[in-house]
Amino acid sequence: MITPQNVLRHELIGLYASVEKSCNLFEKDVFGLIVDETRNTVSLNTPNGVKIFEKHGRVFRVIIPDGTVVRIDGDALVYRSKRRK
């Protein structure tokens, strides 16, 4: 079960997310379903197609299955889910 305390250790694919903070103003508030995740990127399926975002330097808002919104620093995601703390 995904909780705010253990979200970093879980697979994020299938969760909805948005970009809360980015140095690129065009990325801010982009929202969609996480369809892929690599060590350094997250892919969101948005109304305008699939967009790929670097994890480093961004903050994401992720909605976990119970509806809770969790704020995640992208720098903490720059590992495979099994190696995240």
Side-chain angles (χ1 to χ4, degrees):
M1 182 168 146
I2 301 176
T3 67
Q5 293 76 26
N6 69 15
V7 69
L8 290 178
R9 291 189 300 264
H10 282 274
E11 183 71 44
L12 299 179
I13 294 173
L15 300 178
Y16 284 93
S18 66
V19 180
E20 180 180 293
K21 184 177 175 184
S22 172
C23 58
N24 182 340
L25 295 177
F26 292 105
E27 293 179 352
K28 191 171 181 318
D29 296 326
V30 174
F31 179 82
L33 180 69
I34 299 174
V35 292
D36 193 24
E37 179 185 12
T38 68
R39 182 176 181 266
N40 295 309
T41 65
V42 173
S43 299
L44 299 180
N45 188 10
T46 73
N48 296 319
V50 176
K51 307 291 182 190
I52 300 171
F53 302 94
E54 286 188 39
K55 294 175 181 177
H56 177 71
R58 281 143 187 88
V59 175
F60 298 93
R61 270 188 255 156
V62 177
I63 302 172
I64 60 175
D66 71 359
T68 303
V69 177
V70 181
R71 189 173 189 252
I72 300 174
D73 184 340
D75 291 337
L77 292 174
V78 183
Y79 296 99
R80 297 199 165 123
S81 58
K82 292 180 174 88
R83 301 197 68 191
R84 296 180 198 149
K85 296 182 179 185

